Amino acid sequence: MKTLYDDSLKYADIIENMKNALPNDYFKGNECDFEVAHKYGNYDIYRHDMGIFYTSEPFLAGVFTQNIEEIASQVIADISKIMVEYNIVHLYE
């Protein structure tokens, strides 16, 4: 994610695809007023999402889960909301 973010012009097509990917799930599971470029996936009992959050102060994040397949997407969405709120609060301290 850092390489994509740091060299965003070179990877513009990939980032655009990631912004459009699964628009209502994982990191994008909660309504937000900023873009998220993310790469989600699963393998057996594991679910994950990695992304670039284009908030007023962009940040990179990754969440990995295990053994919660049925609710993993919502858990990841909830964690992303907490990360965004934490990031925004700490910007103004």
Side-chain angles (χ1 to χ4, degrees):
M1 290 299 141
K2 183 166 176 20
T3 299
L4 294 176
Y5 181 76
D6 288 344
D7 212 350
S8 60
L9 292 177
K10 180 178 178 181
Y11 298 108
D13 289 342
I14 293 171
I15 291 171
E16 191 60 32
N17 287 336
M18 292 169 63
K19 286 179 179 178
N20 294 325
L22 212 56
N24 299 307
D25 216 345
Y26 291 95
F27 280 160
K28 298 179 178 184
N30 293 312
E31 200 171 309
C32 56
D33 59 352
F34 54 87
E35 291 186 299
V36 177
H38 70 138
K39 174 62 178 104
Y40 53 89
N42 62 71
Y43 178 76
D44 195 25
I45 60 172
Y46 309 98
R47 303 287 183 270
H48 74 275
D49 202 357
M50 303 288 297
I52 305 167
F53 289 72
Y54 291 95
T55 61
S56 56
E57 288 291 326
F59 66 94
L60 311 176
V63 174
F64 298 81
T65 68
Q66 177 181 350
N67 290 324
I68 59 169
E69 300 87 10
E70 301 80 28
I71 61 170
S73 177
Q74 188 57 53
V75 168
I76 292 171
D78 292 345
I79 291 170
S80 73
K81 185 176 181 181
I82 292 167
M83 289 187 297
V84 168
E85 290 171 357
Y86 180 86
N87 188 35
I88 290 170
V89 166
H90 283 73
L91 284 176
Y92 300 106
E93 286 185 340

